[in-house]
Amino acid sequence: EDERIVAEIMKRRFFPTVITHRSWEGFLFAGHEIRITEATDCYGAVVWPSALVLCYFLETNSKQYNLVDKNVIEIGAGTGLVSIVASLLGALVTATDLPELLGNLQHNVLQNTKLKCKHQPHVKELSWGIDLEKNFPRALCHFDYIMAADVVYHHPFLDELLLTFDHLCKNDTVILWAMKFRLDKENQFVDRFQTLFDLEVIFHFPSLNITLYKAMRKGRMK
């Protein structure tokens, strides 16, 4: 079952038949051909398999997780694939990442959503743990879903990442988080995450070492 679903997910990716001056990859989700411009000089400008897993889940579970008119924020949006798919599925999306990634993120989001979505997505800077109340005030920001793909890896900002999840998450917010397991230090983040949130495994793909989680605040999981 793992290999069958993984093969189906990976079939959603295609590559240009002609080499161009700009590197891109193509993906087929939500009934659209999505072209993502990438760069190889930083982690945030590459599409990682966890993003494909999350996109596949959103598309194939669109009745159970109906995104139409829902407020969605993606943290660590990178190239924007998850945000684009959520937008094509009808969500009002805010795609966030570090300032140096916003140019490429904005390009991908605009190229793949303009005149195709019910709600045009927004791109906004979010440095984990920094100026959260200033940029995303609790009293004004309510997100139905927080989405994250491969935000836990070997970086020194795991405390700030947990703080960001905590700040953005209301009692009825659903977190959909795809994680690739790598090293013990990063894996320990899951234990710390569970001090604040109830966690449910939706999918686990041993061949990719990726788990897709659903999470809500402690005591709120239905």
Side-chain angles (χ1 to χ4, degrees):
E1 184 68 9
D2 166 54
E3 293 179 357
R4 183 189 66 80
I5 298 177
V6 168
E8 171 62 28
I9 292 172
M10 294 307 166
K11 283 197 302 186
R12 304 301 188 93
R13 169 184 265 162
F14 66 93
F15 299 92
T17 56
V18 178
I19 301 299
T20 64
H21 70 284
R22 175 171 285 181
S23 175
W24 63 270
E25 284 187 72
F27 303 88
L28 299 171
F29 287 109
H32 290 267
E33 180 182 295
I34 301 167
R35 293 192 177 192
I36 296 294
T37 300
E38 297 186 318
T40 57
D41 56 350
C42 59
Y43 289 131
V46 176
V47 177
W48 299 99
S50 292
L52 274 69
V53 167
L54 183 48
C55 289
Y56 179 84
F57 174 80
L58 295 177
E59 180 188 87
T60 55
N61 294 271
S62 59
K63 290 185 178 180
Q64 182 179 359
Y65 294 86
N66 185 356
L67 297 185
V68 177
D69 298 329
K70 296 296 194 298
N71 282 318
V72 172
I73 186 168
E74 184 186 5
I75 61 175
T79 59
L81 180 62
V82 172
S83 288
I84 291 164
V85 171
S87 298
L88 293 171
L89 292 171
L92 178 57
V93 175
T94 302
T96 70
D97 215 313
L98 296 170
E100 59 266 29
L101 297 175
L102 294 188
N104 189 58
L105 176 58
Q106 179 71 65
H107 168 79
N108 285 328
V109 167
L110 186 62
Q111 174 177 268
N112 290 286
T113 62
K114 189 175 182 180
L115 304 179
K116 299 177 183 178
C117 298
K118 185 175 183 181
H119 306 287
Q120 185 61 37
H122 305 288
V123 173
K124 189 171 181 178
E125 176 184 343
L126 173 53
S127 299
W128 297 337
I130 298 175
D131 292 331
L132 294 176
E133 182 59 29
K134 175 183 175 182
N135 296 324
F136 298 89
R138 288 180 185 267
L140 300 178
C141 294
H142 183 283
F143 298 106
D144 299 295
Y145 290 94
I146 299 171
M147 297 187 184
D150 229 1
V151 293
V152 178
Y153 53 89
H154 185 61
H155 62 70
F157 305 109
L158 294 178
D159 290 340
E160 291 81 358
L161 174 60
L162 186 59
L163 181 65
T164 301
F165 273 122
D166 184 42
H167 180 84
L168 295 173
C169 189
K170 295 289 197 295
N171 283 339
D172 58 347
T173 302
V174 174
I175 299 171
L176 295 175
W177 166 31
M179 175 178 173
K180 182 175 178 68
F181 284 81
R182 297 181 175 90
L183 303 174
D184 286 342
K185 178 183 177 182
E186 294 128 42
N187 298 350
Q188 290 168 9
F189 180 85
V190 176
D191 296 329
R192 298 175 55 211
F193 186 87
Q194 290 183 94
T195 64
L196 299 176
F197 303 99
D198 288 323
L199 205 57
E200 174 187 336
V201 175
I202 299 177
F203 276 141
H204 178 58
F205 300 106
S207 62
L208 296 174
N209 211 18
I210 291 173
T211 300
L212 176 60
Y213 293 108
K214 171 186 175 183
M216 295 186 74
R217 282 208 174 274
K218 282 284 188 183
R220 305 296 298 188
M221 188 81 81
K222 297 180 180 178

